[in-house]
Amino acid sequence: MKAIKNIGYFLTFLGFAFFIGSVFTGTHKVTTATYENWIQSKNIKSEYFINHTQKAIVDQQMSTWELSQIILDQAKASNQYQKSQPKTDWSKIIHLKWSKTSKDFIYPLARASVIGWYKQHPTLWFLITFGFAILGGLMIFIPNYKLLGPAGIKNNGIFQHSATNKGIIGFITAFFFMAFYVLLYFFPNYIINPILSVNGINQFLSGNDAGQWFLYGVMYCSVMTVFAVRMFIKYRHNSYQLLRTTVVLFFQIAFGFLIPEILVAFNKPWFDFKNAWPLNYTFFFDYNINNLLNSGHLGIFMLVWGIALTVIIVPIMVYFYGKRWYCSWVCGCGGLAETLGDPYRQLSDKSLFSWKVERWLIHGVLVFATLMTALTLYVYFAHIESWKVIAFGISAYDVQTWYGFFIGSIFSGVIGTGFYPIMGNRVWCRFGCPLAAYMGFVQRFKSKFRITTNGGQCISCGNCSTYCEQGIDVRAYAQKGQNIVRSSCVGCGICSAVCPRGVLKLENGSDTGISRTQVNDILLGNDMDLLSMTKKNS
Amino acid sequence: MKHVVIIGNGIAGVTAARHIRKKSDYHITIISSETKYFFSRTALMYVFMGHMKFEHTQPYENWFWKKNRIELVQAYVQKIDTTLKKLVLNNNTTITFDDLIIATGSTPNKFGWPGQNLKGVMGMYSKQDLDEINRYAKDCKRAVIVGGGLIGFEMAEMFASKNIPVTFLVRETSFWNKVLPAQESEMINKHIKEHHIDLRLNTNLIEILSDEHGRAKAIVTDKGETISCNLVGLTAGVSPNISFLKNSDIKTDKGVLVNRNLETNIPNIYAIGDCAEQQSVIGERRPIEAVWYTGRIMGETVARTICGIPTKYSPGHWFNSAKFFDIEYQTYGWITALPKENEARFYWEHKDGKKCLHFNFDKISRKFIGINTLGIRLRHQLFDRWLTEEKSIEYVLEHLKDANFDPEFYKQYEEEIITKFNSENGTTLTAKKKSWKRIFA
Ligand SMILES: Cc1cc2nc3c(=O)[nH]c(=O)nc-3n(C[C@H](O)[C@H](O)[C@H](O)COP(=O)(O)OP(=O)(O)OC[C@H]3O[C@@H](n4cnc5c(N)ncnc54)[C@H](O)[C@@H]3O)c2cc1C
Ligand code: SF4
Ligand code: SF4
């Protein structure tokens, strides 16, 4: 068993080593046709740039670094040249910005011009990266079935291991997570070889070449699958966890990955039916609305569905089941947090201070998302071009860009996932997700969901609080005999699973009021006479 | 302003302080020698096992005490001067009080075994014990646990979690069978062995042998066997921690003697928690109950008395819980190891051998008396109510679905349980559907 585990570690390591090793090592050869296509699609007007760059790159073999650098240098030189002209032609200026240039400008050319071994051997390349990592991961986790002993809570050593207690391994892991997101969001031109490892799958699914988001999708599903297997073994005694993990995995693979890709294969818009506004903040962006409006009946249905999801389905479901139906049964972000993130759940901060920060941040993001969307819709219906300045020198496009950059990319991705090994697995869900904030209101004030505290049985041990990924001090309620009704609870059920005294039960009661939130002065088990108010004669 | 001084910052003392603060403006001081801040003793094992860090065992953040104007003093009380109402601390200071609450908890029993003070021999009660265990576990080849109670069990689980071989000496013929009926006890015996613990039933410790450095190297049992080990856990029960009261006028027996208002023989001095001994019998309860819940209930109660509303200590229906490796245990009402004359029992066990329910009821009146459950969680609130309302065993069984407290989607066994009861008793009960209305009634 131990041996299988060690081989698993080795294989995983190898898979990741190949994967990471191939980053930055792309080889490119730009043909004239590719080049011209690119120039056209990027709408480049500067002859200076077109001619110089063509000379420098077309029909020459070079690395991604060289290619990217040449394009950047030429763009800068071209801009300088244009500005040095007696009359600057602004349409010939190439706008450069670090967070956009690589991904929007350089990446398409780099992606189209890649050559080399990775491109020629897609299957083998897939097998020695994804194949090794997935197989290795399974070999690491499956032996736990025997190694951890009989089914039950086995959190042994979690706070004594570097990977799960903010040790050096934890920080290295965090670094890799963050680096991956930075490359993915801002510099996809450097991860073209990794992208090629899943090209075959994309070809098979929709006949298209894979891009960075397809790579991300495959990684997401693979990681979730491997770590779901880990969950299945770790919580094999707990039907709630088994069912929840199965469902959230299903929703990710089917709704978050396969269905959108299949839609694309049929020339329909890429659409994730479970992604509700305001988490899906681009839903009301003009290009999305127009895209849906131009996609026939299905497009209209998607538009109506998307609105109904936010306005009707989400609040009704939260009323009956709490926000857990979404956050830990359906949502993709939640799905990753509950699988890949599970080993890190204990790192969320439980202090009152962090609860204060949480409330400011998450509600701040909700306000930001709402204002941004309101502005977007305003310019849409008022037929104002989105790049037109509206007030204070700011356009709707600017606001969208800021939101996309700070919230959509940095917060939800780089920090949200990157910080798993440091701040726990729900950094985004707890501090950032505007949909969670919205559902939180419903859950807190009008829902049947509560975590019932079992009378006076709590021994204040603290397992529940420690393993609450949302940083809720569950014990603070349980030891007072009070139910846990908190807007941030995502209903993962782990507090209930780890409680050694059977104190906590997630349930949807019959009412939304008194049975949920009643507070007693003393706990069940104390029959002292509370009515006798006779004062001692002193 | 009245100065209330509490000796001991365990669950009893801290609960008292919190409730006094809620009801009054008194000056409150808690003195304790173990740690500055309150922590949950019941969680010590999880710190050793790496489930938690020590700070996670502290139910309140450190700012809590100042905010609630509860003064903390870390010192040992050496003497109580009851006439001058003065405490003498080991740091040579004194503290005067108007009201005093003694909540000093317990200390592990040692029965004068030869070698009981060697290095590597320890109890498990305090934070200091935990530190000691951590130190000696590092190079531990085998650990021997002496005493088959709940704390001994926890210790066995701790070492097993670190893959340290454990020998578990239990005086009784089956684990905890002074409390658990034979069936439950046997289920736990099996589970202990499933976790590769070397369980020695019906075995007593004779002596602990020392190596040349004064550290335990082996133990000798009454079966004449020598078991080599370099860590010995002594967990043969606990007794009230009241040695510092020896020369005071406060009346003690095994514990500090108190009346139903938790008052000692000296006015304005109270005792609560593990260290208190009831002078008059309360129902079936033992005079000293060293469990978490009673400590808390006494804390809640004494706070009212001190705040001017004399209140009797009135613990409700007995309940308790524990966890044996992977099997959770809960109990409500009374179900003793052996049935009393008027009692009948009904036992159901799941075929996996890890879940069972054991009901106790009156043969004639059919009144439900108590239940043990292993591997299935039950709703405290309902059992408490059913006991108060003196429901019949039949009523309890028919409404068992209401009381199921397992997480959602767990398999439920009420039908199976009732079928077994029907076939044994010639009844025709059926399980009623779960009703929120009844639960919240
Ligand atoms: C390992 C372990 C696990 C347990 N698990 C459970 C369980 O699962 N369920 C359950 O119901 N019960 C359990 N118990 C029992 C439960 O913890 C005790 O009943 C409870 O903690 C007693 O609380 P207390 O406030 O009376 O005393 P304590 O918690 O013992 O607190 C007394 C404090 O007073 C201090 N003190 C004593 N004398 C002096 C002095 N002279 N001067 C200053 N300070 C002094 C002590 O150092 C101590 O810190 C467990 C006990 C242990 C040791
Ligand atoms: S309170 Fe419990 S169910 Fe809710 S998020 Fe925390 S651990 Fe999960
Ligand atoms: S895990 Fe259970 S017993 Fe421990 S503090 Fe939480 S509710 Fe109480």
Side-chain angles (χ1 to χ4, degrees), chain A residues 298-349:
Chain A
L298 185 65
I300 303 286
F301 171 74
M302 289 168 170
L303 192 59
V304 174
W305 169 260
I307 295 170
L309 189 60
T310 299
V311 180
I312 303 169
I313 302 173
V314 162
I316 289 186
M317 291 288 280
V318 177
Y319 171 78
F320 283 107
Y321 306 111
K323 76 192 216 189
R324 57 183 173 153
W325 81 272
Y326 195 87
C327 297
S328 60
W329 286 75
V330 169
C331 178
C333 309
L336 192 70
E338 296 293 344
T339 48
L340 173 66
D342 181 72
Y344 304 114
R345 55 172 53 254
Q346 67 283 355
L347 301 175
S348 60
D349 192 273

Side-chain angles (χ1 to χ4, degrees), chain A residues 150-160 165 237-240 243 324 329 350-352 450 452-463 466-467 473 475 479-480 496-497 499-511 515 521-530 532-536, chain B residues 18-19 22-23 40 42-43 46-53 56-61 63 154 161-162 194-195 270 292-293 296-297 300-301 304-305 307-312 314-317 319-323 326 328 330 332 354 377-381 384 404-410 434 436 440:
Chain A
I153 294 300
K154 302 285 146 64
N155 287 332
N156 301 337
I158 285 187
F159 279 103
Q160 292 150 347
N165 186 30
H237 58 289
N238 189 316
S239 316
Y240 184 79
L243 194 60
R324 57 183 173 153
W329 286 75
K350 313 301 184 310
S351 64
L352 191 66
R450 80 290 307 275
T452 303
T453 287
N454 202 9
Q457 284 280 24
C458 176
I459 52 168
S460 298
C461 71
N463 274 293
T466 306
Y467 286 91
D473 190 357
R475 165 175 58 193
Q479 68 190 357
K480 284 191 278 186
S496 161
C499 172
R501 295 295 179 271
V503 176
L504 305 164
K505 178 168 164 68
L506 285 68
E507 54 188 6
N508 314 306
S510 53
D511 73 325
S515 78
D521 191 33
I522 55 163
L523 280 88
L524 188 61
N526 187 352
D527 285 357
M528 74 185 178
D529 183 6
L530 281 171
S532 124
M533 298 301 281
T534 36
K535 292 257 173 190
K536 191 159 64 171
Chain B
R18 279 180 41 235
H19 282 260
K22 274 202 234 170
K23 293 184 186 57
S40 177
T42 54
Y46 299 110
V47 178
F48 178 85
M49 291 162 74
H51 293 206
M52 294 197 270
K53 292 201 266 190
H56 296 125
T57 69
Q58 296 175 342
Y60 304 97
E61 285 185 65
W63 49 258
E154 290 187 355
S161 79
K162 296 259 176 262
E194 188 186 3
H195 277 272
Y270 306 80
W292 185 263
Y293 313 109
R296 189 181 63 207
I297 295 170
E300 291 166 350
T301 311
R304 277 174 71 88
T305 305
C307 294
I309 310 159
T311 307
K312 261 195 192 157
S314 315
H317 302 290
F319 67 96
N320 201 1
S321 61
K323 191 174 180 185
D326 307 311
E328 286 173 22
Q330 292 181 341
Y332 300 102
K354 291 187 178 177
R377 296 175 174 179
L378 294 176
R379 215 178 272 270
H380 184 185
Q381 180 204 7
D384 192 77
N404 185 299
F405 204 70
D406 270 343
E408 295 152 300
F409 308 116
Y410 269 45
K434 169 172 172 175
W436 285 115
F440 294 141

Side-chain angles (χ1 to χ4, degrees), chain B residues 4 8 59 176 253 271:
Chain B
V4 182
W176 217 35
D253 178 24

Side-chain angles (χ1 to χ4, degrees), chain A residues 501, chain B residues 8 11-12 33-34 41 76-77 104-105 125 241 274 291-292:
Chain A
R501 295 295 179 271
Chain B
I11 180 66
S33 50
E34 185 177 3
R41 204 171 288 301
Y76 184 77
V77 178
T104 50
Y125 192 85
N241 183 8
D274 278 20
V291 289
W292 185 263

Side-chain angles (χ1 to χ4, degrees), chain A residues 338 345 449 451 464 467-472 474 484 488-496 504 506:
Chain A
E338 296 293 344
R345 55 172 53 254
F449 172 69
I451 302 177
C464 51
Y467 286 91
C468 176
E469 54 192 357
Q470 286 287 47
I472 298 172
V474 182
I484 296 96
S488 62
C489 170
V490 292
C492 65
I494 297 295
C495 53
S496 161
L504 305 164
L506 285 68

Side-chain angles (χ1 to χ4, degrees), chain A residues 118-259:
Chain A
Y118 304 100
K119 190 165 182 182
Q120 284 153 11
H121 303 91
T123 314
L124 181 61
W125 180 222
F126 176 78
L127 288 179
I128 64 169
T129 49
F130 276 86
F132 277 14
I134 292 173
L135 182 69
L138 294 176
M139 288 170 76
I140 294 171
F141 294 133
I142 291 176
N144 285 351
Y145 192 90
K146 270 259 152 341
L147 290 176
L148 290 183
I153 294 300
K154 302 285 146 64
N155 287 332
N156 301 337
I158 285 187
F159 279 103
Q160 292 150 347
H161 195 289
S162 164
T164 50
N165 186 30
K166 290 188 265 193
I168 183 81
I169 298 179
F171 278 94
I172 292 174
T173 314
F175 170 77
F176 273 103
F177 284 175
M178 285 189 262
F180 172 74
Y181 276 95
V182 168
L183 290 177
L184 180 74
Y185 282 127
F186 306 118
F187 304 102
N189 48 324
Y190 295 114
I191 53 169
I192 288 175
N193 284 337
I195 291 171
L196 287 175
S197 66
V198 296
N199 208 37
I201 304 179
N202 207 1
Q203 286 288 351
F204 172 78
L205 277 176
S206 63
N208 295 332
D209 273 334
Q212 77 267 43
W213 298 114
F214 189 81
L215 170 72
Y216 186 48
V218 178
M219 286 179 74
Y220 211 97
C221 293
S222 315
V223 165
M224 267 185 68
T225 307
V226 172
F227 277 79
V229 169
R230 175 184 167 279
M231 289 294 280
F232 291 144
I233 291 168
K234 181 166 185 187
Y235 294 105
R236 61 186 185 276
H237 58 289
N238 189 316
S239 316
Y240 184 79
Q241 298 306 329
L242 294 179
L243 194 60
R244 186 176 68 81
T245 307
T246 310
V247 171
V248 79
L249 183 64
F250 164 79
F251 270 100
Q252 173 54 33
I253 294 179
F255 285 81
F257 182 66
L258 287 178
I259 293 175

